[in-house]
Amino acid sequence: MTSYEREVADARSGEIRSCIAGGYGGASVVVTGIGELCDGTGSSPAAGMAIVVEEGRIVWVGPERTLPEAAGSSRLDVAGRAVIPGFVDSHTHLVFAGDRAGEWEARMAGRAYVAGGIVGTVEATRAATTPELSRRAHRLVAEALEGGTTTIEVKSGYGLDVANEARLVRVAATLTDEVTYLGAHVVPPEYAGRSDDYVDLVCGQMLEACRGECRWIDVFCEEGAFDADQARTVLEAGRRAGLGLKLHANQLRHGPGASLGAAVGAASVDHCTHLSDADVEALAGSPTVVTLLPAAEFSTRSGYPDGRRLLDAGVRVALATDCNPGTSYTTSMSFVVALAVRELGMTLPEALHAATGGGADALRRDDVGRLQVGKRADFVVLDAPSASWIAYRPGVPMVSAVFRLGELVAGAPPGGRW
Ligand code: NIG
Ligand code: FE
């Protein structure tokens, strides 16, 4: 059993150490027999390629017939299967307790999503012990890993007081290096009618208690959550604390969040279901990535964002799960890719790029998300001859084996030819 398999087994049995945080050494391996390689750059898949990995990093990618003779001794013949980068899920909220299945059922029966449901999860989360929160979150990360996600971002946002937000970011930091402080998710009930006071807390004592574990700060800029001035205040406080900036914006209706994100130089603005032409123009001229979360539209029975419009305008696009108990209780990036191809007007290479290299861009990471020389050897072998089968066979687990730093961490080395 590899160290990583042990991590996953520990997660499943409830004896948790960590999952996607940090590294675990790194293996050296030559991957051959690749039916189709999708490298995460957005270019068309290529046949007949091979990859050479040394100590967890990619040192060579090219046609197998030109493989350097001296290339390493350990071989992995994937026997005609497709290889893609590990998914980079750049937006999740997976530290929480309870569930909201009843709310979901009501929505499927026609009731609209309102952000007020978040408060139900806050209550359950505050009441849960830290080991319980940790066990649940690690199970979700193990599930994501088995689905091919090798880099994951995790937000707080269901604590909404100093002690609980600090607890959530501490749990998140055992899961991943990409932890986001989302104290500004919604105004908690005890601050009803005093949202500016809550913003003061978010930017003061709560930020102080959380910043040490975090790389990012996020704010839900939407009617019913925080307005543009409050969002800007939160983001500026985060920037002063050394955090990178992210926003939830334009999810439920048009609003100021998307253009604010571009104006403040956020790494990403997420959701962006409702964008004006001016928003699209502002985003296209900026380095800010738009992270589309179509599983949230699926689970809230809402209209989908227009991915095609964004790509045609030159906006940088990522896809992520938004895994949370209210609007998107899935860890499946394959499902998100299938939705993007079916509903957002994206081609399979575009969607795959958005779910890998695009996610890396949204996290400002240049070491993951693309299978190129110098990057981490985080890759997925599909049980399919072509990457398009992710969307062609929706709802079917197509992941055969998951590698991080060249080491098998989930699934099994493929046997038999395609
Ligand atoms: O990204 N939009 C705000 N936050 C989450 C929903 C959280 C919830 O409903 O619990 C989202 O969709
Ligand atoms: Fe979200």
Side-chain angles (χ1 to χ4, degrees):
M1 205 187 241
T2 63
S3 59
Y4 220 80
E5 284 175 304
R6 209 169 309 117
E7 296 293 335
V8 172
D10 286 351
R12 288 235 172 273
S13 68
E15 288 165 34
I16 313 298
R17 284 193 299 118
S18 66
C19 265
I20 292 191
Y24 296 89
S28 299
V29 62
V30 181
V31 189
T32 59
I34 299 173
E36 178 179 285
L37 180 70
C38 240
D39 65 7
T41 64
S43 42
S44 301
M49 303 293 277
I51 302 173
V52 180
V53 177
E54 273 172 23
E55 294 180 355
R57 296 272 165 174
I58 296 172
V59 295
W60 188 90
V61 186
E64 188 174 331
R65 59 185 160 69
T66 65
L67 188 63
E69 271 191 19
S73 51
S74 166
R75 296 265 163 147
L76 171 71
D77 180 358
V78 299
R81 289 169 177 76
V83 169
I84 63 172
F87 292 118
V88 178
D89 189 351
S90 61
H91 182 138
T92 81
H93 309 243
L94 44 72
V95 191
F96 62 86
D99 66 73
R100 303 209 325 254
E103 185 187 313
W104 176 82
E105 280 164 28
R107 272 203 309 274
M108 294 305 114
R111 192 158 323 143
Y113 171 72
V114 284
I118 294 171
V119 170
T121 300
V122 171
E123 252 175 55
T125 303
R126 286 176 176 178
T129 65
T130 304
E132 187 193 345
L133 291 174
S134 182
R135 183 184 55 77
R136 292 175 56 116
H138 278 76
R139 284 186 81 95
L140 288 172
V141 171
E143 182 182 285
L145 186 69
E146 284 166 3
T149 296
T150 49
T151 302
I152 196 163
E153 179 265 13
V154 177
K155 301 176 196 299
S156 67
Y158 291 119
L160 307 188
D161 62 29
V162 174
N164 279 294
E165 282 297 304
R167 217 154 63 96
L168 300 198
V169 296
R170 274 202 305 276
V171 170
T174 67
L175 299 158
T176 179
D177 302 325
E178 301 294 343
V179 179
T180 300
Y181 166 51
L182 180 59
H185 198 182
V186 287
V187 177
E190 61 272 23
Y191 276 85
R194 297 188 293 131
S195 61
D196 282 340
D197 292 345
Y198 183 64
V199 169
D200 285 347
L201 181 70
V202 165
C203 298
Q205 209 191 334
M206 196 185 281
L207 174 60
E208 242 354 273
C210 294
R211 61 188 281 187
E213 307 286 2
C214 297
R215 195 168 166 232
W216 303 100
I217 188 164
D218 193 344
V219 55
F220 187 14
C221 181
E222 190 92 35
E223 216 175 290
F226 298 91
D227 67 24
D229 287 343
Q230 292 171 325
R232 187 185 279 275
T233 302
V234 168
L235 294 171
E236 277 169 3
R239 198 203 305 272
R240 282 195 299 277
L243 304 180
L245 313 184
K246 289 181 167 290
L247 292 90
H248 281 68
N250 301 54
Q251 175 184 9
L252 305 175
R253 57 191 73 75
H254 286 106
S259 55
L260 172 65
V264 299
S268 70
V269 285
D270 300 21
H271 286 288
C272 289
T273 313
H274 303 275
L275 293 177
S276 66
D277 289 344
D279 292 331
V280 174
E281 205 178 310
L283 289 161
S286 81
T288 300
V289 174
V290 169
T291 303
L292 301 176
L293 308 165
E297 275 75 41
F298 178 88
S299 296
T300 54
R301 246 198 168 154
S302 313
Y304 289 97
D306 188 345
R308 182 78 267 139
R309 175 188 183 208
L310 293 170
L311 290 169
D312 289 347
V315 176
R316 295 143 68 97
V317 174
L319 287 165
T321 62
D322 196 16
C323 180
N324 77 81
T327 62
S328 180
Y329 201 177
T330 182
T331 55
S332 174
M333 288 295 282
S334 293
F335 174 60
V336 170
V337 167
L339 280 180
V341 172
R342 174 67 180 84
E343 305 286 354
L344 309 193
M346 296 167 73
T347 65
L348 191 280
E350 285 169 344
L352 208 51
H353 168 248
T356 55
D361 296 342
L363 294 173
R364 300 221 162 138
R365 290 276 298 267
D366 62 8
D367 58 335
V368 296
R370 293 175 176 88
L371 298 178
Q372 292 174 313
V373 170
K375 312 241 184 254
R376 290 171 58 109
D378 293 355
F379 62 91
V380 172
V381 181
L382 297 179
D383 211 10
S386 154
S388 65
W389 286 42
I390 291 174
Y392 171 48
R393 302 206 62 211
V396 179
M398 299 308 293
V399 169
S400 168
V402 184
F403 291 80
R404 280 185 95 236
L405 290 169
E407 189 179 357
L408 180 72
V409 292
R417 289 208 82 76
W418 251 94

